[in-house]
């Protein structure tokens, strides 16, 4: 049996999703004429209580466009040191926006208003102008850790008070909502920008949507074009996103239950020294032996997993992992010895 736990990006479209893609009505989106893309953008904006949306090829692009929209060159943004926008987007903050990054040490990637406030630069020519805070929910490097809306509210209030924009990297926002029970529609009140990935836990093959007010999205269309992200009959892809929003949100709690089962098995394993709490669909754990050796042992049993640090491995649960596979992996975890 092959069980691919490397990422929730490895999922393949289901037959029903493919059928929805085949049937999509499309047009040239650069002319604004792809009705399926228009529908996806409007639908996603409505889900989060935002005015407008723009469909992009990747979450990296939606984040980078948001940063460009909310900053000027020479500005500084504030993010946790584990942030995807900083670590895994190729240095795009400096390259695309000419902006520096102030990195904070949150708890599993989670920041508070108290941590952020002293890092906002005073008005002084020596200092870059702080103009943006970026939060991630769930936090990838935090092992799928979540903000509740109650935790976000004081940060949003601080940003408003200090004139900063607030952007959410919501690559796994629906996982966070499944865990916290917060309502998606309330998010629009607190963020200036929200990036929603369709190709992670939701299981679409491609795409992310950036949400913001109408003016920001109008400018975002210019930036997307400059980055080469103006697509044509991409409604076939947007149709997969619409299908995912309609059919793959509720089921995320299954992935979370699967993560719990694996975290529990890992917690009892002699070859594991520490398991981070698995609130959502990611399980991070530390191993006695180097992660590279352990991941090879797992691969020998058909289990694919990514070492994320010298002694740390990541399992990510998703749509294509079925209960029998979870049982199988739990069995292998119990059988391995140090
Ligand atoms: C995957 C991911 C993104 C977007 O990545 P793409 O591969 O460019 O779609 C952004 N933020 C986080 C936290 C992610 O995990």
């Amino acid at each position: 049996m092959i069980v691919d736990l490397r990422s929730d990006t490895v999922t393949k479209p289901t037959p029903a999703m493919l059928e929805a893609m085949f049937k999509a009505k499309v047009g040239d989106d650069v002319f604004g004429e792809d009705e399926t893309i228009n529908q996806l953008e409007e639908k996603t904006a409505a889900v989060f209580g935002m005015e407008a949306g723009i469909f992009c090829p990747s979450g990296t692009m939606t984040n980078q466009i948001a940063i460009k929209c909310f900053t000027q060159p020479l500005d500084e943004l504030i993010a946790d040191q584990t942030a995807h926008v900083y670590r895994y987007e190729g240095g795009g903050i400096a390259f695309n926006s000419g902006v520096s990054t102030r990195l904070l040490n949150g708890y599993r990637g989670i920041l508070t208003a108290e941590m952020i406030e002293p890092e906002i630069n005073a008005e002084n020519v020596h200092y870059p102008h702080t103009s943006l805070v970026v939060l991630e929910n769930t936090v990838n490097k935090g092992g799928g850790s979540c903000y509740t809306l109650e935790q976000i509210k004081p940060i949003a209030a601080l940003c408003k008070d200090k004139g900063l924009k607030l952007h959410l990297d919501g690559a796994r926002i629906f996982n966070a909502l499944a865990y916290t029970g917060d309502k998606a529609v309330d998010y629009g009140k607190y963020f200036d920008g929200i990036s929603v990935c369709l190709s992670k836990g939701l299981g679409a093959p491609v795409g992310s949507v950036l949400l913001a007010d109408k003016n920001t999205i109008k400018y975002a269309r210019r930036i997307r074009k400059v980055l080469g992200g103006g697509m044509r009959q991409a409604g076939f892809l947007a149709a997969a996103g619409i299908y995912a929003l309609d059919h793959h949100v509720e089921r995320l709690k299954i992935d979370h239950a699967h993560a719990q089962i694996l975290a529990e098995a890992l917690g009892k394993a002699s070859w594991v020294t520490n398991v981070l709490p698995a609130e959502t669909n990611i399980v991070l754990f530390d191993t006695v032996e180097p992660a590279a050796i352990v991941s090879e042992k797992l691969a020998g049993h058909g289990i694919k997993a990514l070492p994320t640090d010298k002694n740390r491995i990541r399992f990510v649960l998703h749509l294509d992992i079925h209960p029998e596979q979870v049982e199988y992996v739990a069995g292998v975890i119990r059988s391995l010895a140090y």
Side-chain angles (χ1 to χ4, degrees):
M1 189 180 308
I2 299 288
V3 187
D4 195 343
L5 298 173
R6 286 172 303 167
S7 174
D8 43 8
T9 54
V10 301
T11 56
K12 309 260 167 64
T14 62
M17 180 182 276
L18 279 174
E19 197 178 317
M21 295 169 74
F22 270 123
K23 287 185 181 153
K25 294 206 174 80
V26 299
D28 189 330
D29 183 52
V30 176
F31 291 119
E33 290 174 359
D34 189 302
E35 57 185 282
T36 309
I37 292 182
N38 294 341
Q39 196 191 332
L40 171 68
E41 292 172 347
E42 283 163 26
K43 182 184 176 77
T44 316
V47 166
F48 287 92
M50 302 286 272
E51 272 182 24
I54 179 171
F55 181 54
C56 294
S58 70
T60 297
M61 192 181 283
T62 45
N63 281 333
Q64 291 298 320
I65 290 174
I67 292 163
K68 183 68 196 154
C69 287
F70 295 138
T71 61
Q72 294 296 323
L74 307 181
D75 283 357
E76 184 161 273
L77 69 76
I78 293 175
D80 182 76
Q81 57 94 7
T82 62
H84 193 281
V85 291
Y86 173 73
R87 287 208 185 201
Y88 303 111
E89 299 186 9
I93 295 171
F95 186 75
N96 296 317
S97 299
V99 163
S100 61
T101 307
R102 183 84 143 246
L103 296 171
L104 309 189
N105 281 308
Y107 174 69
R108 292 178 64 204
I110 303 289
L111 302 177
T112 63
E114 288 71 30
M115 291 176 194
I116 294 167
E117 186 159 13
E119 307 294 332
I120 300 170
N121 287 331
E123 196 54 50
N124 179 317
V125 289
H126 294 89
Y127 307 144
H129 173 66
T130 312
S131 57
L132 173 66
V133 172
V134 179
L135 306 182
E136 194 172 303
N137 202 16
T138 68
V139 184
N140 182 350
K141 263 274 185 186
S145 45
C146 302
Y147 286 90
T148 61
L149 257 188
E150 285 309 311
Q151 290 172 293
I152 288 167
K153 283 176 189 175
I155 298 174
L158 173 68
C159 289
K160 197 161 192 190
D161 182 47
K162 302 287 181 184
L164 313 187
K165 299 289 187 188
L166 183 59
H167 173 65
L168 175 67
D169 176 354
R172 296 187 180 82
I173 183 59
F174 286 106
N175 296 90
L177 294 169
Y179 179 73
T180 60
D182 288 329
K183 301 263 172 298
V185 73
D186 292 332
Y187 265 69
K189 296 195 209 81
Y190 302 102
F191 287 96
D192 298 288
I194 301 179
S195 162
V196 182
C197 281
L198 304 164
S199 63
K200 294 275 167 78
L202 295 191
V206 177
S208 287
V209 182
L210 174 63
L211 307 173
D213 64 28
K214 282 185 184 147
N215 268 339
T216 302
I217 294 300
K218 198 171 160 196
Y219 184 60
R221 289 192 192 282
R222 298 189 77 90
I223 307 304
R224 186 184 65 174
K225 196 78 184 81
V226 163
L227 295 175
M231 299 181 286
R232 305 295 180 178
Q233 288 75 19
F236 293 116
L237 301 174
I242 292 171
Y243 182 89
L245 288 171
D246 286 340
H247 297 96
H248 291 170
V249 172
E250 277 300 310
R251 62 156 306 286
L252 289 172
K253 54 183 186 284
I254 299 172
D255 299 339
H256 298 184
H258 288 168
Q260 283 295 324
I261 293 170
L262 296 186
E264 219 164 276
L266 288 163
K268 293 177 190 152
S270 63
W271 53 277
V272 173
T273 57
N274 178 41
V275 187
L276 270 69
E279 290 99 336
T280 54
N281 69 326
I282 300 176
V283 190
L284 291 181
F285 58 97
D286 300 326
T287 52
V288 177
E289 293 180 294
I293 290 177
V294 176
S295 72
E296 262 184 44
K297 282 188 184 173
L298 290 168
H301 293 273
I303 300 165
K304 297 186 184 182
L306 281 186
T308 62
D309 244 314
K310 213 167 145 271
N311 285 74
R312 178 163 285 187
I313 292 185
R314 185 180 81 162
F315 285 166
V316 188
L317 283 299
H318 54 77
L319 184 64
D320 287 351
I321 300 296
H322 304 292
E324 318 80 73
Q325 292 173 300
V326 175
E327 280 314 312
Y328 170 76
V329 175
V332 172
I333 290 170
R334 284 190 287 268
S335 74
L336 287 182
Y338 165 51

